[in-house]
Amino acid sequence: MSSHFPASIMKTNDIYDTKRSLANFHPTIWKEHFLSFTFDDALKVDGGMKERIEKLKEEIRMMVIASVQNPLVKLNLVDSIQRLGVSYHFEDEIDQFLEHMYVSYNNSLLFSSNDSQDDDLHISALLFRLLRQHGYRISCDIFLKFMDNNGKFKESLVEDERGILSLYEASHMRGHGEALLEEALEFTTTHLKAYIHLYSNINPNFASEVSNALKLPIRKCVPRVKAREYFEIYQQQPSHNETLLTFSKLDFNILQKLHQKEIAEICRWWKDLNVSTNFPFARDRIVECYFWILSIYFEPYFKFGRKILTKVIAMTSIMDDIYDAYGTFEELQLFTLAIKRWDMSMVNLLPQYMKVHYTTLLDLFEEMDKGIVNDGISYRSCFGKEAMKRQAESYFKEAEWLNKNYKPKYGEYMEVALASSGYELLSTISFVCMGDIATKEVFEWLFDCPQILKASTTISRLMDDVVSYKFEKEREHIVSAVECYMSNHGRSEDETCAELLKQVEDAWKTINECCLHPMNVPMPFLICLLNLTRVMALLYSHEDGYTNSKGRTKLLIQSLLIDPLHL
Ligand SMILES: CC(C)=CCC/C(C)=C/COP(=O)(O)OP(=O)(O)O
């Protein structure tokens, strides 16, 4: 791009005399709701409460490490700990237990032919899922014993509702070419749908567990959201563990207070930015941004990361609206150049609304630098800035296409659109804020676009484009994957959407494979990418739940950030 600016853009400081493309976004639904959570209200955990929590925690820890005659019975406990969202307290204990299970299974020490658990579908499926979730390459042959000679699951299994549900959850851990698990998914989905009708009156708790699973299986769902859902199910189960339930509820409520405190602070920053005046054309979605980031990491020790990432995603969201709609092409040229130079003196070249954005962005990265400088590691910050520059470049490339009315081929489109999905940026910044385990090698790996990142950005881009296609057609907007694919392959809209959603499914399989040993980077980074993908799957499953956040997104936010659990 030339560094000589066309004369006309120097006069663009009056932003209201230029014809601009606008979208019709609804205003924030949260107004000042979260601002009222003051620091004094937050996190009132007195000494007595602390003691109680520590006691409960120790009891659970003992349950996990206690030696039992048949370790398979402990699988249910570990599964519940994970699903209730408290496994971050017992990571070492759970790791050790599952490693032991993996070794024992491989040495044929777990199941024996005269053992009643040998034909327990639920236990086999749970073992399979938990081991794969922890990166162990357990073969899907564990399910062969449940199949008949024709390679089909035995119809008699239909009586085993719990087993069928567990097999369904396990099948979502599948990688490419695992036909047995494809078969398992088809078989279980059919029967689970039937159970909903069958059990809606006689066992509504089970019917609602099944219905939740069909909407979003454990593997694809944001853990915090699943945990909130699971509390309702777990406490109704007669076999539930009271100690675990009480501890998990207390932990959830304490974390919720912490999250409320964080969001109040972020909302104050957002209020100072005066979005409705400075960026009246943009989506005002700071609470939704926090929810997005909370889905990546919710644990107390990622407090700094949540603050920075929420601000980064919020600034990127405004940027997206500038590039997609509001900015004139000439302004966008300048804006992109300024971001690439990353130099506060560039601000003088920008129109007023971009000035505000640019200074806030540079200040934000300075805030991030200050937060990580204690570690004495500056390369992390460089990778962060580089990711933001790439983001701006990809947005600009799309604006250029729109400006020239250029329709790229599907492959060409995807190359740029994967970057503009924002997921390379978000994953980089989330790594930046993860402390000194994020070594230079980890960033080099990430910047080399590893398979898992490509799969995650593919899911993100395609899910977004499939649900946004109709809405964006209503205004001047760059082409989407749907349009490119339709015109390149001569397919109808429905066929195209089906094909793109198949690509999404394939990308999930890639993610599953990348999360198995041996791993290129430590598991926490892979979990971070997995959670980024999960939040996309949640927000963009039927509509763009970020932009149109009045419906299900509002309820999700309410359940995680407003309603406490009743003890
Ligand atoms: C992951 C990040 C950084 C999210 C920020 C918010 C955002 C841009 C959401 C997608 O909006 P969109 O559907 O309008 O995106 P696009 O214009 O890229 O299709």
Side-chain angles (χ1 to χ4, degrees):
M1 190 195 315
S2 160
S3 57
H4 298 286
F5 314 123
S8 62
I9 37 170
M10 304 316 243
K11 292 189 247 146
T12 51
N13 272 5
D14 178 6
I15 58 173
Y16 298 101
D17 63 4
T18 312
K19 189 177 166 292
R20 294 166 192 276
S21 165
L22 287 177
N24 194 13
F25 302 130
H26 70 70
T28 171
I29 46 175
W30 299 106
K31 300 195 178 78
E32 306 220 326
H33 181 90
F34 286 94
L35 279 172
S36 61
F37 288 101
T38 61
F39 287 101
D40 296 342
D41 284 345
L43 205 58
K44 273 191 197 142
V45 182
D46 57 24
M49 168 81 96
K50 251 194 189 146
E51 217 173 278
R52 185 170 169 222
I53 291 171
E54 281 308 314
K55 198 168 158 284
L56 291 168
K57 187 170 149 185
E58 188 52 22
E59 272 179 52
I60 297 164
R61 203 179 71 80
M62 293 313 288
M63 286 189 260
V64 179
I65 60 172
S67 61
V68 284
Q69 209 180 13
N70 186 348
L72 285 168
V73 296
K74 231 197 267 175
L75 286 173
N76 283 316
L77 174 71
V78 168
D79 183 42
S80 299
I81 291 175
Q82 294 190 339
R83 291 172 73 177
L84 291 167
V86 289
S87 56
Y88 73 99
H89 290 288
F90 311 103
E91 266 169 21
D92 290 345
E93 292 83 357
I94 292 176
D95 280 351
Q96 273 173 29
F97 168 68
L98 290 175
E99 192 185 337
H100 172 71
M101 295 301 275
Y102 182 62
V103 173
S104 305
Y105 176 74
N106 275 345
N107 293 325
S108 307
L109 298 174
L110 286 184
F111 297 105
S112 61
S113 50
N114 52 8
D115 187 338
S116 65
Q117 275 163 331
D118 180 47
D119 58 2
D120 188 327
L121 177 61
H122 166 65
I123 289 292
S124 295
L126 192 54
L127 178 73
F128 178 84
R129 177 168 61 79
L130 293 184
L131 288 181
R132 283 231 177 159
Q133 277 173 195
H134 279 249
Y136 293 107
R137 285 182 186 272
I138 176 172
S139 162
C140 55
D141 288 353
I142 188 173
F143 298 115
L144 282 174
K145 60 192 171 199
F146 302 105
M147 302 184 93
D148 62 23
N149 294 336
N150 300 320
K152 297 274 171 210
F153 280 91
K154 295 175 186 162
E155 275 305 321
S156 56
L157 293 170
V158 175
E159 313 277 304
D160 179 7
E161 297 87 349
R162 176 68 41 202
I164 293 283
L165 180 55
S166 299
L167 179 60
Y168 167 82
E169 296 288 8
S171 71
H172 286 278
M173 301 303 301
R174 70 201 188 287
H176 295 281
E178 291 192 303
L180 185 152
L181 293 178
E182 294 293 349
E183 172 70 24
L185 177 62
E186 208 184 304
F187 173 74
T188 52
T189 305
T190 309
H191 291 299
L192 290 178
K193 282 181 184 161
Y195 292 160
I196 296 186
H197 296 290
L198 208 61
Y199 288 97
S200 57
N201 288 329
I202 47 173
N203 189 348
N205 195 42
F206 182 66
S208 100
E209 187 179 359
V210 169
S211 160
N212 291 342
L214 284 173
K215 277 186 211 131
L216 267 178
I218 296 168
R219 183 57 168 178
K220 291 183 176 170
C221 191
V222 169
R224 209 78 204 131
V225 170
K226 255 304 175 220
R228 188 65 173 80
E229 218 176 71
Y230 190 58
F231 274 108
E232 312 300 331
I233 308 289
Y234 184 69
Q235 66 189 356
Q236 308 259 1
Q237 286 175 357
S239 60
H240 77 252
N241 182 306
E242 204 55 44
T243 308
L244 176 59
L245 182 64
T246 310
F247 173 74
S248 307
K249 282 185 171 180
L250 285 168
D251 192 67
F252 182 93
N253 288 350
I254 289 170
L255 283 189
Q256 190 182 63
K257 283 268 179 227
L258 179 78
H259 297 149
Q260 286 167 351
K261 179 181 163 185
E262 290 172 9
I263 194 161
E265 189 192 325
I266 294 170
C267 284
R268 272 189 281 277
W269 167 83
W270 189 246
K271 193 174 180 209
D272 290 346
L273 187 57
N274 213 341
V275 176
S276 56
T277 309
N278 286 321
F279 312 104
F281 54 87
R283 286 165 287 187
D284 187 348
R285 301 282 182 275
I286 194 66
V287 178
E288 290 79 358
C289 285
Y290 182 80
F291 174 81
W292 198 315
I293 300 309
L294 182 66
S295 307
I296 305 174
Y297 32 52
F298 67 89
E299 298 87 344
Y301 37 84
F302 289 124
K303 176 177 165 26
F304 174 72
R306 279 191 293 276
K307 179 171 77 168
I308 297 296
L309 268 171
T310 304
K311 293 181 181 181
V312 167
I313 194 172
M315 294 310 289
T316 311
S317 178
I318 299 177
M319 246 170 104
D320 185 56
D321 293 328
I322 292 176
Y323 277 95
D324 265 6
Y326 194 74
T328 65
F329 185 66
E330 291 78 9
E331 287 170 354
L332 297 179
Q333 278 183 307
L334 277 177
F335 195 39
T336 313
L337 183 68
I339 290 173
K340 279 171 77 177
R341 294 253 174 104
W342 208 274
D343 177 349
M344 203 51 108
S345 68
M346 295 295 285
V347 79
N348 300 321
L349 302 171
L350 302 173
Q352 182 55 31
Y353 75 101
M354 282 185 172
K355 272 192 173 92
V356 182
H357 189 282
Y358 190 69
T359 42
T360 311
L361 189 68
L362 266 56
D363 287 350
L364 169 58
F365 274 70
E366 236 181 89
E367 183 186 350
M368 182 176 88
D369 286 355
K370 279 193 193 130
I372 59 175
V373 83
N374 289 344
D375 312 44
I377 301 167
S378 65
Y379 64 83
R380 281 198 267 148
S381 153
C382 296
F383 281 108
K385 281 181 197 146
E386 179 55 32
M388 184 47 97
K389 290 178 190 178
R390 290 184 182 190
Q391 182 71 34
E393 279 174 312
S394 64
Y395 278 156
F396 183 70
K397 186 80 200 161
E398 292 179 344
E400 223 172 20
W401 285 343
L402 182 64
N403 186 252
K404 290 187 196 151
N405 203 12
Y406 174 71
K407 308 266 180 249
K409 291 247 181 298
Y410 179 69
E412 188 186 5
Y413 167 79
M414 283 302 278
E415 210 170 295
V416 174
L418 290 187
S420 78
S421 73
Y423 263 35
E424 293 176 6
L425 170 69
L426 279 197
S427 43
T428 307
I429 306 293
S430 60
F431 286 15
V432 167
C433 300
M434 281 173 78
D436 53 15
I437 57 162
T439 59
K440 209 170 180 176
E441 289 70 36
V442 169
F443 287 102
E444 281 164 1
W445 168 82
L446 188 69
F447 271 58
D448 216 14
C449 199
Q451 272 190 325
I452 185 169
L453 177 63
K454 182 146 192 259
S456 173
T457 50
T458 301
I459 292 172
S460 161
R461 173 46 69 202
L462 293 182
M463 291 198 75
D464 183 347
D465 281 14
V466 166
V467 295
S468 310
Y469 174 63
K470 290 204 171 73
F471 174 72
E472 286 177 348
K473 261 200 313 193
E474 290 164 16
R475 62 186 162 111
E476 198 186 28
H477 194 279
I478 73 140
V479 285
S480 76
V482 180
E483 270 171 283
C484 292
Y485 195 91
M486 276 166 72
S487 77
N488 285 182
H489 294 84
R491 297 280 158 82
S492 71
E493 190 179 320
D494 286 348
E495 286 166 344
T496 298
C497 290
E499 169 55 28
L500 298 185
L501 292 177
K502 191 184 160 297
Q503 290 185 23
V504 166
E505 277 310 306
D506 281 347
W508 274 109
K509 292 177 197 167
T510 302
I511 291 183
N512 285 342
E513 287 178 357
C514 293
C515 289
L516 296 176
H517 294 294
M519 294 156 190
N520 292 311
V521 291
M523 190 67 140
F525 297 110
L526 302 177
I527 296 291
C528 198
L529 292 168
L530 174 62
N531 283 341
L532 270 164
T533 320
R534 285 164 162 167
V535 63
M536 202 70 201
L538 180 70
L539 287 177
Y540 287 76
S541 54
H542 297 294
E543 59 165 351
D544 171 352
Y546 170 71
T547 304
N548 310 310
S549 58
K550 285 182 188 170
R552 192 167 67 123
T553 308
K554 182 181 175 192
L555 298 178
L556 288 168
I557 291 175
Q558 173 138 0
S559 71
L560 291 198
L561 290 168
I562 297 177
D563 301 337
L565 288 168
H566 297 295
L567 290 165

